[in-house]
Amino acid sequence: MPSKDQRRGGLSIPGQVHHITLTTAGRRPLFEDFSHARLVIAEMRRLQEQNIVHSLAWVLMPDHLDWLLQLRGPIGLANAIKVFKGRSARRLGGVLETGGAVWHAGFRDHALRRESDLIQVARDIVARPLRAGLVKRIGDYPSWDAQWL
């Protein structure tokens, strides 16, 4: 059931930093499979190469993506997420044996208002696999990145 923080639109300002959370449909752990994760990561990088977003930090967990990004334009946040979800779903659809939807409708968005919050939010994002008990060291988890490396 959609909540108020799972947006389908919203304010889009070039340069604004957002902490986005996207979950898989039914919270299926699609990204436990590293090859599936790589397909999604490739689409994230493609958005950056097209200068739509700038990825500051992200982690692709088994059933969701936490992504700290900065809007670059030429499209707004909702459209950027729509493009990403569509592209990644098409790529995954070609390899998934079970079929069905890849992503849950909507997304959670928190716009960061203070630059001082960036590093702390980025640290929180990349530490999620550690807190979830998936690894003993952050560097052992394969599906994350941060611009401050």
Side-chain angles (χ1 to χ4, degrees), residues 7-25:
R7 307 184 333 146
R8 294 185 192 279
L11 188 61
S12 293
I13 302 169
Q16 178 67 55
V17 175
H18 295 267
H19 176 195
I20 304 297
T21 303
L22 307 169
T23 58
T24 59

Side-chain angles (χ1 to χ4, degrees), residues 38-56 58 67 69-70 72-74 83-84 87 91 145:
R38 297 312 299 171
L39 292 174
V40 170
I41 293 165
E43 292 305 327
M44 293 169 63
R45 290 199 171 122
R46 187 171 164 200
L47 283 181
Q48 182 154 315
E49 290 165 0
Q50 293 174 327
N51 207 32
I52 294 171
V53 302
H54 175 66
S55 295
L56 301 170
W58 55 266
W67 193 2
L69 60 85
Q70 184 176 35
R72 294 287 193 204
V83 167
F84 166 74
R87 288 176 179 174
R91 299 243 353 235
D145 199 3

Side-chain angles (χ1 to χ4, degrees), residues 20-124:
I20 304 297
T21 303
L22 307 169
T23 58
T24 59
R27 299 292 281 211
R28 292 183 352 194
L30 298 175
F31 311 122
E32 286 178 338
D33 183 315
F34 186 65
S35 65
H36 297 166
R38 297 312 299 171
L39 292 174
V40 170
I41 293 165
E43 292 305 327
M44 293 169 63
R45 290 199 171 122
R46 187 171 164 200
L47 283 181
Q48 182 154 315
E49 290 165 0
Q50 293 174 327
N51 207 32
I52 294 171
V53 302
H54 175 66
S55 295
L56 301 170
W58 55 266
V59 66
L60 187 58
M61 299 291 284
D63 64 355
H64 72 277
L65 169 64
D66 277 301
W67 193 2
L68 186 63
L69 60 85
Q70 184 176 35
L71 286 176
R72 294 287 193 204
I75 62 176
L77 179 63
N79 284 332
I81 297 302
K82 181 179 178 180
V83 167
F84 166 74
K85 288 168 96 176
R87 288 176 179 174
S88 59
R90 278 190 295 282
R91 299 243 353 235
L92 284 167
V95 299
L96 292 176
E97 297 171 6
T98 57
V102 171
W103 297 106
H104 177 73
F107 59 94
R108 278 182 270 155
D109 166 34
H110 175 73
L112 276 68
R113 308 262 188 271
R114 297 184 326 218
E115 193 168 319
S116 61
D117 293 338
L118 284 178
I119 299 294
Q120 185 56 46
V121 171
R123 285 181 180 150
D124 180 59

